[in-house]
């Protein structure tokens, strides 16, 4: 019988044998000079790891698309890392989207994360879904297109199968990669990857990893994104709201490291990190994965 300790040894040994792991990092546009400083420090710290790309979100309906453009262009020009804008279609006309895509192509951007975006309050239907945006982008130029995927189902989808068929439409429209919503039950991701393969979905399914540093924010976020927070995770952070950052960072890093170890063992070769503009945890996890530039 293999003991638990032997299992952990084998897992750690397998980590030291990992090769060709790709990572990518997601940032959001800063809203204040202090946040701006944090963002650029993080970009500078993570760029030497030579990620596949660094992506920058755009808050749908925020009307602040220019800030995403600015961060993307600066990453592109200053770091030598491929910069990838997120683009939402819920709040722009087709003509605007075509123009934005052309501008990106002309500045050397070759990948876009194509999203619908959340519907504004009171709106139930939209003219365009993400699959329509993928088709529009591919029509403008031969972009590599990433899309979103939801191992625990998108909150609006009536059921998991409906959502999976939507992912297939995004693949058929020309996407090459799907980045998942964050998750904590690793088996949920693995089952989702199997179901996508069984449905003939020809996409690289990249797990979105959220290293948790702020538990209360996580709970809020998990609530409206339909992400299950397991009891064991609640218990790990219980009572630490007032504790210093170190304890919480250590726990967050440990949880994410265990998650990526299992995923790497299951053949995952590309990890996407929701950095929340911080570099410490993502850097440590990448180092463990052997992604060192
Ligand atoms: C990796 C990642 C990055 C993200 N980045 C951003 C960002 O930068 N900015 C931002 O605002 N949001 C972002 N989001 C959130 C995303 O915009 C929301 O989850 C949004 O509600 C759905 O976007 P989508 O691209 O998945 O939409 P879609 O794939 O269009 O799906 C949206 C919903 O509509 C359903 N649907 C699809 N087609 C149809 C149809 N024809 N008829 C009826 N229903 C349909 C789907 O099943 C799903 O429930 C991100 C999410 C992820 C996972």
């Amino acid at each position: 019988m293999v003991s638990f300790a032997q299992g952990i040894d084998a897992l750690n040994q397998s980590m030291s044998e990992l090769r060709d792991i790709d990572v990518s990092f997601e940032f959001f546009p800063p809203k204040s000079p202090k946040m701006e400083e944090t963002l650029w420090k993080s970009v500078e710290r993570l760029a030497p790891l030579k990620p596949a790309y660094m992506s920058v979100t755009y808050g749908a309906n925020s009307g602040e698309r220019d800030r995403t453009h600015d961060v993307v262009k600066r990453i592109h020009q200053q770091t030598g890392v491929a910069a990838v804008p997120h683009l939402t279609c819920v709040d722009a006309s087709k003509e605007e989207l075509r123009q934005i895509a052309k501008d990106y192509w002309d500045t050397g951007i070759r990948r876009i994360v194509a999203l619908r975006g959340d519907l504004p309050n009171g709106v139930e239907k939209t003219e365009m879904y993400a699959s329509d945006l993928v088709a529009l982008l591919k029509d403008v130029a031969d972009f590599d297109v990433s899309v979103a995927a939801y191992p625990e189902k998108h909150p609006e989808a009536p059921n998991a199968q409906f959502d999976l068929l939507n992912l297939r439409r995004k693949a058929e429209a020309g996407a090459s990669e799907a980045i998942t919503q964050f998750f904590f039950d690793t088996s949920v991701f693995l089952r989702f990857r199997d179901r996508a393969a069984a449905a003939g979905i020809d996409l690289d399914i990249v797990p979105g990893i959220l290293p948790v540093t702020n538990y209360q924010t996580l709970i809020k976020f998990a609530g409206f994104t339909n992400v299950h927070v397991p009891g064991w995770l609640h218990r790990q952070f219980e009572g630490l709201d007032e504790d210093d950052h170190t304890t919480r960072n250590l726990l967050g890093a440990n949880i994410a490291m265990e998650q990526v170890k299992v995923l790497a063992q299951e053949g995952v070769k590309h990890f996407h990190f929701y950095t929340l503009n911080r570099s410490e945890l993502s850097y440590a996890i990448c180092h463990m994965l052997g992604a060192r530039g």
Side-chain angles (χ1 to χ4, degrees), residues 14-270:
S14 71
M15 295 305 294
S16 68
E17 288 158 10
L18 286 179
R19 299 284 176 274
D20 305 326
I21 294 288
D22 267 339
V23 294
S24 48
F25 302 113
E26 182 171 313
F27 302 97
F28 63 86
K31 291 201 176 86
S32 67
K34 190 160 175 8
M35 285 166 81
E36 173 134 13
E37 200 186 315
T38 309
L39 164 70
W40 291 110
K41 268 195 194 148
S42 299
V43 168
E44 278 165 27
R45 174 100 164 116
L46 294 170
L49 297 178
K50 296 204 171 62
Y53 57 81
M54 290 180 164
S55 80
V56 184
T57 63
Y58 163 69
N61 311 301
S62 69
E64 291 171 333
R65 210 181 288 275
D66 287 350
R67 290 194 299 126
T68 301
H69 290 213
D70 293 346
V71 178
V72 162
K73 284 181 186 157
R74 192 166 152 192
I75 290 176
H76 180 66
Q77 285 160 0
Q78 291 187 1
T79 65
V81 173
V84 174
H86 293 212
L87 184 59
T88 59
C89 59
V90 70
D91 53 352
S93 70
K94 285 189 178 163
E95 218 21 71
E96 281 170 312
L97 293 166
R98 295 183 79 85
Q99 193 52 53
I100 292 166
K102 272 190 199 133
D103 288 348
Y104 275 136
W105 185 264
D106 291 344
T107 46
I109 302 299
R110 292 294 177 264
R111 179 178 288 278
I112 292 184
V113 181
L115 303 141
R116 185 198 67 179
D118 286 327
L119 299 175
N121 281 342
V123 174
E124 279 182 14
K125 252 195 117 37
T126 170
E127 197 194 322
M128 280 180 88
Y129 289 93
S131 54
D132 303 307
L133 178 59
V134 176
L136 181 146
L137 291 173
K138 292 299 272 187
D139 189 49
V140 170
D142 193 18
F143 285 105
D144 292 318
V145 182
S146 306
V147 291
Y150 303 86
E152 297 176 83
K153 186 179 91 60
H154 183 264
E156 284 165 43
N159 57 60
Q161 188 61 15
F162 182 95
D163 217 22
L164 201 63
L165 293 178
N166 178 44
L167 185 61
R168 190 160 79 189
R169 276 197 296 278
K170 297 196 252 193
E172 287 166 355
S176 58
E177 172 184 280
I179 305 168
T180 74
Q181 184 59 279
F182 67 95
F183 56 90
F184 297 104
D185 286 331
T186 305
S187 59
V188 165
F189 171 85
L190 295 173
R191 276 202 300 276
F192 178 74
R193 194 177 62 167
D194 288 348
R195 286 178 40 237
I201 295 174
D202 187 17
L203 287 174
D204 288 334
I205 308 228
V206 178
I209 305 294
L210 177 68
V212 179
T213 49
N214 187 323
Y215 175 66
Q216 291 307 334
T217 309
L218 164 72
I219 294 301
K220 223 182 328 166
F221 205 56
F224 59 74
T225 49
N226 199 39
V227 170
H228 173 60
V229 180
W232 57 261
L233 196 139
H234 282 290
R235 276 193 294 283
Q236 291 206 18
F237 280 97
E238 209 168 52
L240 289 180
D241 288 348
E242 305 301 323
D243 207 297
D244 76 350
H245 289 245
T246 314
T247 318
R248 285 184 276 143
N249 277 351
L250 281 170
L251 276 186
N254 185 49
I255 291 166
M257 281 181 181
E258 286 179 356
Q259 195 175 33
V260 300
K261 276 185 195 172
V262 174
L263 292 171
Q265 177 91 328
E266 294 286 345
V268 172
K269 292 278 186 201
H270 180 174

